[in-house]
Amino acid sequence: MKYNRFNRILLAVDDSPCTEKAIAYAKDLAQEFNSILALITVIPPTSPASYGADPLLGQQPIIVPEVAQIQLEATQKYLNELAAEFNSANEVFTFNKVGNIRDEILETATQWAADLIIIGSNGRTGFEHFISGSVSESVIRKASCPVLVVPNKCD
């Protein structure tokens, strides 16, 4: 049996144009290595809405659970459609998570025993990078497997 370095590839995706280039790389690598592929997307937790809530009157902000459910359903639909495009992969799994993006990617990579993480980067620099940080950078720093960052300037 031939040793395959990238048996299990975890591809972090969202529905932004920045992801398209990372998807193309994942398709090529999955075909080249006959890999099992997992797609992950992470939704940040729904923040409370302060509409109609007055803190001076002791009213608390509200969280509408339907919003979170709609987001989960929409992202699962996106993942299912994307998974269908990976006909060259040996097998495709999907992970639809809610939480901190970096933490969820790293936790899934560990639990799923990924050999490679592929993630896109929007190429922000300077002040934009300072303000927003970089998910790809923080994944690189904490990952226990190789990380392929696919740069894509999509502004």
Side-chain angles (χ1 to χ4, degrees):
M1 183 169 134
K2 181 181 164 190
Y3 175 70
N4 188 354
R5 185 174 303 246
F6 300 128
N7 288 318
R8 298 168 73 84
I9 298 173
L10 178 66
L11 172 61
V13 296
D14 58 23
D15 61 354
S16 73
C18 293
T19 302
E20 293 302 317
K21 204 170 172 183
I23 292 169
Y25 272 88
K27 285 180 181 177
D28 289 346
L29 287 171
Q31 182 175 9
E32 175 74 26
F33 293 107
N34 192 28
S35 302
I36 297 171
L37 184 81
L39 305 170
I40 181 172
T41 190
V42 183
I43 304 166
T46 306
S47 56
S50 58
Y51 304 111
D54 188 349
L56 295 176
L57 297 175
Q59 297 171 338
Q60 299 297 316
I62 56 170
I63 296 177
V64 182
E66 291 82 14
V67 172
Q69 186 61 34
I70 291 168
Q71 286 179 318
L72 279 172
E73 289 171 5
T75 54
Q76 189 60 54
K77 181 181 177 195
Y78 169 70
L79 285 173
N80 293 341
E81 290 170 358
L82 186 57
E85 293 180 22
F86 282 90
N87 50 9
S88 61
N90 191 353
E91 197 173 355
V92 180
F93 294 91
T94 60
F95 296 100
N96 191 2
K97 306 278 186 143
V98 176
N100 177 283
I101 297 170
R102 180 203 66 189
D103 294 344
E104 294 297 334
I105 291 170
L106 292 170
E107 184 178 320
T108 302
T110 301
Q111 290 177 351
W112 191 68
D115 299 317
L116 175 68
I117 299 170
I118 300 176
I119 189 168
S121 172
N122 59 15
R124 288 188 184 121
T125 58
F127 187 69
E128 277 185 322
H129 177 76
F130 174 73
I131 292 299
S132 66
S134 170
V135 172
S136 55
E137 222 176 86
S138 58
V139 167
I140 290 169
R141 292 176 197 261
K142 301 283 184 174
S144 59
C145 66
V147 179
L148 172 61
V149 178
V150 181
N152 190 14
K153 190 73 171 169
C154 58
D155 291 347

